[in-house]
Amino acid sequence: MPRLDSKAILQGRRSRYSMTLITGISVSMVCLVGMFGYLWLLAMAGGAAAGIDGAVGFGVSLAAAVVPVTILVPLILMLDRIEPEPGSVMFFAFVWGAGVAVVASLLLNTWGASNITVPLYGQDLGDYVSTAVVAPVVEESAKGVVLLVLLWRRRHEIDTFTDGVVYAAMVATGFAFTENVLYFLGAFFDGTLIATFALRGLIAPFGHPIYTAMIGIGVAYAAMNTGTGRVFAPVAGWGAAVALHGMWNASTRFGWLGLGLAYLVLFVVLMCVLATAVRDRQTQIGAIAHYLPRYLSTGLVTQADIAMLGSMHARRRAREWAARNAGRRGREAMKEYQLAATELALLHKKMDAGLVSTGWKVDRDSFLALMHVARDTFLGRVPGPVAPGWAERPDDSGFLRRVDFAQVIAQTRARQDDAAPPSRRSPR
């Protein structure tokens, strides 16, 4: 039997093809390449004016900008380990921020300063107003657009406030990456690179992710609720993001005291975001414990499996156990089993909240089919019965039982074939 498209199932799609992602990533990459071409020209011009090698300045600035990314991205991913978001969607969010959002912000900020703030207030005050007012509005809007796209096209991916925060933080990290190259490049030629890197790369690298996280929370509320409130939630999140961003930019006018107070406010907001992530994780674990017992009769899960799925430590040890017994493919099979089971529990949680359409049984069967195929993939790679690391005997775990799910799998495969483009469907 052909292998199911696990990525499509876990992302709530009928087939592997997503024109939204393909188009969005393509446009974002074009903007990112164009922006780096512009930065290269700036580096060459700056180097010629300063009498130094502009290519060195570009390389140093790029390397310095990578450092905060290597710190932030792992921390962002740690927030949502129970039900991690699809890598392709996360990449889309990152490159949108690094490409489209930066290009749009550069153009609009430059236009706003030249045509509005400087003519109205003069050079000094106009630059300050542009930094404290115009830039936050423009930049948070440019970053927030992609979150609205995800709300429109990927609403099913957003199960918790943490999901909204994770997507928002990835957009903002991409934006900060490209913006940092620009700032570090200017600082390199001014001789202030170390101070600029310390402030933007080490002391306050989480500024942009915190601002945009407010939009992510608003978008998550809209995805998880019904009623009129969901219409205004993204707008309220955008307003909070602009306010925090504007506060930080405006604080530079008041020296270290102003920066210190702004930093304190952002730290408090960060603690609130982390507390929300902890609460969301407890909610997800509660959903697993509450909804999965109804599937004990399928033979796909047991009470021991449910206990394993409800603990991050136990889930990690189960993947390690699967790798020891069946290699890399065994580890991937366990990971797919865990994700499908989690999505199954969250599907029922959405049903209770009135957020699932009448076709929920299709998604349920797809998750069950994926759990079965993941189990069969593992069993096909072990020589004989082996006791799982989270239960006493092999038959204490649904992951090690052989149960016939051929009909459910066939139905799921047929739906995926029907959803694929005609030229790429499996032969009948």
Side-chain angles (χ1 to χ4, degrees):
M1 180 177 295
R3 178 167 173 77
L4 295 175
D5 185 354
S6 59
K7 289 185 178 180
I9 291 174
L10 293 171
Q11 294 179 29
R13 294 182 283 113
R14 299 291 176 258
S15 72
R16 72 190 68 189
Y17 308 105
S18 174
M19 288 308 299
T20 300
L21 279 182
I22 294 172
T23 303
I25 291 175
S26 299
V27 171
S28 299
M29 290 301 297
V30 168
C31 290
L32 180 58
V33 171
M35 187 64 196
F36 271 81
Y38 170 73
L39 292 173
W40 175 262
L41 294 177
L42 287 182
M44 294 301 101
I52 56 179
D53 190 350
V56 172
F58 181 84
V60 170
S61 301
L62 180 61
V66 168
V67 173
V69 175
T70 62
I71 296 172
L72 287 171
V73 170
L75 293 176
I76 293 168
L77 297 179
M78 285 180 64
L79 290 176
D80 196 30
R81 289 181 293 167
I82 288 258
E83 185 236 353
E85 302 309 301
S88 58
V89 186
M90 297 283 275
F91 179 72
F92 170 42
F94 182 89
V95 294
W96 176 281
V100 176
V102 170
V103 170
S105 297
L106 178 64
L107 295 175
L108 292 174
N109 283 338
T110 302
W111 182 89
S114 301
N115 295 277
I116 299 177
T117 58
V118 172
L120 284 176
Y121 302 107
Q123 189 66 50
D124 291 339
L125 182 58
D127 285 342
Y128 178 72
V129 172
S130 180
T131 299
V133 179
V134 176
V137 170
V138 168
E139 293 173 11
E140 296 310 319
S141 298
K143 289 182 286 182
V145 166
V146 73
L147 299 177
L148 295 179
V149 172
L150 294 179
L151 176 62
W152 173 42
R153 300 293 296 175
R154 295 272 174 163
R155 180 186 297 267
H156 55 271
E157 294 285 2
I158 305 174
D159 302 305
T160 63
F161 289 111
T162 302
D163 291 344
V165 168
V166 165
Y167 285 126
M170 287 299 290
V171 177
T173 300
F175 184 94
F177 166 65
T178 306
E179 186 184 54
N180 279 341
V181 176
L182 177 61
Y183 276 98
F184 293 159
L185 195 59
F188 178 84
F189 295 120
D190 292 343
T192 59
L193 178 60
I194 294 178
T196 304
F197 174 76
L199 178 62
R200 297 185 62 87
L202 299 178
I203 297 177
F206 51 81
H208 275 289
I210 291 178
Y211 313 148
T212 315
M214 301 300 101
I215 306 177
I217 290 174
V219 166
Y221 181 92
M224 297 188 300
N225 291 274
T226 58
T228 57
R230 64 178 180 171
V231 177
F232 302 102
V235 178
W238 173 84
V242 170
L244 289 175
H245 196 160
M247 175 201 67
W248 177 261
N249 287 3
S251 69
T252 58
R253 194 175 182 87
F254 304 97
W256 288 107
L257 177 61
L259 283 173
L261 291 175
Y263 193 91
L264 178 61
V265 172
L266 293 183
F267 181 78
V268 171
V269 175
L270 175 62
M271 292 300 102
C272 292
V273 171
L274 294 178
T276 299
V278 170
R279 187 194 64 181
D280 284 343
R281 181 174 297 177
Q282 292 172 342
T283 300
Q284 290 174 317
I285 290 174
I288 291 171
H290 181 70
Y291 294 111
L292 287 189
R294 66 186 64 183
Y295 290 98
L296 292 174
S297 61
T298 66
L300 283 170
V301 291
T302 65
Q303 288 293 353
D305 298 326
I306 294 172
M308 176 269 289
L309 292 166
S311 164
M312 291 303 305
H313 177 69
R315 288 165 76 111
R316 183 178 67 253
R317 293 193 62 180
R319 292 193 295 271
E320 293 171 352
W321 170 85
R324 287 194 303 271
N325 287 278
R328 182 188 61 82
R329 191 66 196 92
R331 180 186 181 90
E332 290 301 313
M334 174 57 75
K335 182 178 179 181
E336 288 184 359
Y337 175 84
Q338 291 175 341
L339 288 177
T342 303
E343 292 287 1
L344 181 62
L346 295 179
L347 174 66
H348 282 279
K349 183 174 180 294
K350 289 179 182 178
M351 287 174 54
D352 285 353
L355 299 173
V356 177
S357 65
T358 54
W360 67 272
K361 291 184 179 179
V362 173
D363 294 325
R364 178 202 61 188
D365 290 348
S366 296
F367 294 139
L368 291 172
L370 182 55
M371 291 170 67
H372 175 80
V373 170
R375 175 176 61 185
D376 271 8
T377 299
F378 177 84
L379 292 175
R381 291 176 176 267
V382 293
V386 56
W390 61 96
E392 294 183 2
R393 301 184 308 275
D395 58 1
D396 289 338
S397 171
F399 189 68
L400 294 171
R401 292 179 180 176
R402 297 185 182 275
V403 181
D404 184 16
F405 267 72
Q407 182 178 359
V408 174
I409 295 173
Q411 291 173 347
T412 302
R413 181 66 192 181
R415 285 193 294 267
Q416 291 192 311
D417 282 347
D418 290 341
S423 61
R424 300 191 183 186
R425 290 179 184 170
S426 301
R428 299 277 179 162

